[in-house]
Structures are given as C-alpha cells and as structure tokens.
Amino acid sequence: MNKLKARLYLWWVGFSSPIDFDLKVIAIILFIVSVFFVTKANCQTITKYYDNSNKIRIEGNTNELKPCFLFFPGGGFVSQDWSICNTWSSLAVNQGYVSCKVGYSTSWFPSLSAANKGISDGVNALKWVKLHANEYHIDTNRIYLAGTSAGGFVALGIAYQHKKKVTGVLNGWGGVLKLTYLYNNNIPVYNVSTDYDKTVPIDCGNAFGVSCCGSQSIYTQLLLLEVKTDWLVWEGYKHGLLPKDIEYSFRVTHSFLNFLTFIK
C-alpha cells in the first residue's frame, strides 16, 4: 500500500469510527446545504406582476441598498426578444445593480396604439418598482432604463414622453415617437445604433408602423438642449448589432459597459 492509499485508509478509519461518525456526517450535510442556499440566494429570480397581466423579473437584490436597471426587450411591439437584455441584465447584476426585466403589452400588428400601450406599461412598471423599492433594497435616486429596439422606445417614452424621473437611459437602436418630447425632460441618454439600420432609422422616418426619430436625431437634439448625451455607432452592421459574427458578443457587451462609464 503506497503512502496516498495509506493516508486515505487512515482517514476513512477515523471518519467511520463510532464516536465521530454521526457528527462528521451532520457537518458535511450542513456544509452542502449551506452552499446550496447561498448559491440559490445569489442567483434567485423573483417574478411579480406589476399590473393585471404583465410581469417583472427581479435579480441581484440583497440586503444592501443598490442602484437599479429596468430592462425592456425589443420585438416591434408584437413580440419580445430578450436575448440582449438578458446579457445586459447579467452584466448589471455582476456590477452590483438590481436588475428588473420588464415585460409589456404586445399586439397582433405594430401600430401607434401598440407603441403607446407598451410605453404606458413601462410607466406602470417604474411606478411599481419605486413603490416596492424598500422591499428589494433599490436606491430610487439611481434608477436607469435600458431597452433594445422597441424597448428603446419604451425607455425613452417613460423618461421623455411621460416625463418620469430616472437617472439615465440606454437607448439601444430605438427612438422617440416625436422629437419634441425631448423638450419635456433633461435625463442623460446614451444612444447605441448601427449605420446600416433598415428597421429603425437613425434620423427620422418610420418604424413599427409609426413615424419616429432615431439615435442620430435624438443625440443631435439633446446636444442642442445641453442635455448630457452620447452616441455609439457600430459601422457596417444591421439592426440589433447583427449579424451574429465572431464579434457580436463583444458589441453587445461593450455597448452596455460604455453606458456604465457614461453614467459615472
């Protein structure tokens, strides 16, 4: 029997001795249980209804007061694509934020009423978060809105169309229904878009069945209004930072981390 086998044998003999066996088994069980519950607490997702039909998923809340992100997915107000918002949410939680992933109403067809309903749902979600801020240890003085495509319209609509107080907006290739809404508030906006977007125009045009203005127009107008803003343009790519090539994940991650730098 070599030294390693001998040591393992002696350890087992000591472990299985009648006097200590029960205590050791209990200790191991307690250790496993504690690891399980700590891991579960760190990755726990809480799902709530913020109105009669729409849900909000909360992650990253602890007993410590934290800033918060509300994420709104794209989908043209007819569906919801969470792929990028899920990545951004994970990044936010890893950076010490509470993440609230907000679902909102969709329609069979894109329209102005569908867009306004989605934005109105976002307003209700923000109210719900502020109302339950103490429960989830959210700092109401540091609430940020982030959305992709149609979700960008929701985030901007909450801050500028409905004039709600938040700390900053990340507009991921979305827009505003009217450029004049930008006169309603002074919330910092970080715009992300591509220069080859055929879905949401970077200037003014039409998207999802409605007239709107995109990242370039928003950036230019906010500069004129002396509101803090910036614009990250990914050259040569399509709506949603597509295609999903070898650098796609970098573009998604870099866009969000740039916003964190912008709001510091």
Side-chain angles (χ1 to χ4, degrees):
M1 184 181 294
N2 59 34
K3 291 183 179 180
L4 177 59
K5 289 182 179 178
R7 288 174 180 171
L8 289 173
Y9 174 77
L10 291 174
W11 175 84
W12 172 250
V13 170
F15 177 82
S16 58
S17 62
I19 297 175
D20 297 332
F21 181 79
D22 290 342
L23 292 177
K24 290 177 179 177
V25 169
I26 292 172
I28 289 174
I29 291 173
L30 289 175
F31 173 76
I32 293 173
V33 170
S34 66
V35 169
F36 172 79
F37 279 107
V38 168
T39 303
K40 185 176 181 181
N42 287 337
C43 63
Q44 184 181 22
T45 299
I46 300 170
T47 302
K48 298 285 186 178
Y49 282 95
Y50 66 84
D51 60 15
N52 292 328
S53 57
N54 294 298
K55 295 179 181 179
I56 186 168
R57 290 175 291 162
I58 306 165
E59 298 173 350
N61 62 301
T62 63
N63 292 328
E64 177 187 357
L65 190 67
K66 292 181 178 181
C68 175
F69 268 94
L70 272 66
F71 292 102
F72 303 93
F77 297 104
V78 297
S79 63
Q80 294 187 350
D81 179 359
W82 281 100
S83 55
I84 290 179
C85 280
N86 282 338
T87 299
W88 287 358
S89 172
S90 296
L91 291 169
V93 171
N94 289 336
Q95 292 291 324
Y97 293 80
V98 176
S99 166
C100 296
K101 294 187 284 188
V102 181
Y104 54 87
S105 299
T106 56
S107 177
W108 287 105
F109 303 100
S111 64
L112 181 59
S113 61
N116 278 321
K117 183 62 171 70
I119 294 169
S120 178
D121 287 346
V123 171
N124 290 334
L126 176 62
K127 290 179 181 177
W128 188 94
V129 168
K130 289 184 176 181
L131 183 64
H132 294 84
N134 290 337
E135 182 178 352
Y136 299 108
H137 305 97
I138 292 170
D139 184 351
T140 55
N141 292 315
R142 292 186 294 167
I143 293 180
Y144 304 92
L145 310 178
T148 59
S149 193
F153 281 82
V154 175
L156 287 164
I158 295 169
Y160 280 94
Q161 184 175 338
H162 288 266
K163 310 175 188 179
K164 298 304 177 183
K165 181 182 177 182
V166 292
T167 315
V169 175
L170 170 54
N171 169 36
W173 43 100
V176 290
L177 299 178
K178 292 182 181 179
L179 202 60
T180 53
Y181 287 149
L182 299 179
Y183 288 85
N184 292 340
N185 217 329
N186 61 351
I187 306 299
V189 176
Y190 189 81
N191 300 282
V192 180
S193 73
T194 65
D195 62 347
Y196 192 68
D197 194 328
K198 300 300 182 182
T199 304
V200 177
I202 60 173
D203 47 14
C204 292
N206 290 279
F208 314 133
V210 300
S211 60
C212 61
C213 294
S215 295
Q216 179 176 265
S217 295
I218 294 168
Y219 170 71
T220 303
Q221 186 62 57
L222 290 178
L223 281 179
L224 292 174
L225 295 172
E226 298 183 344
V227 176
K228 182 178 180 180
T229 187
D230 208 342
W231 181 28
L232 171 62
V233 185
W234 294 99
E235 297 183 354
Y237 296 99
K238 300 177 182 179
H239 187 74
L241 308 183
L242 295 173
K244 293 186 177 181
D245 55 17
I246 193 171
E247 294 182 345
Y248 174 75
S249 294
F250 170 78
R251 293 194 294 275
V252 171
T253 301
H254 190 70
S255 297
F256 184 76
L257 295 181
N258 268 22
F259 178 67
L260 295 185
T261 301
F262 169 77
I263 59 179
K264 285 184 178 178

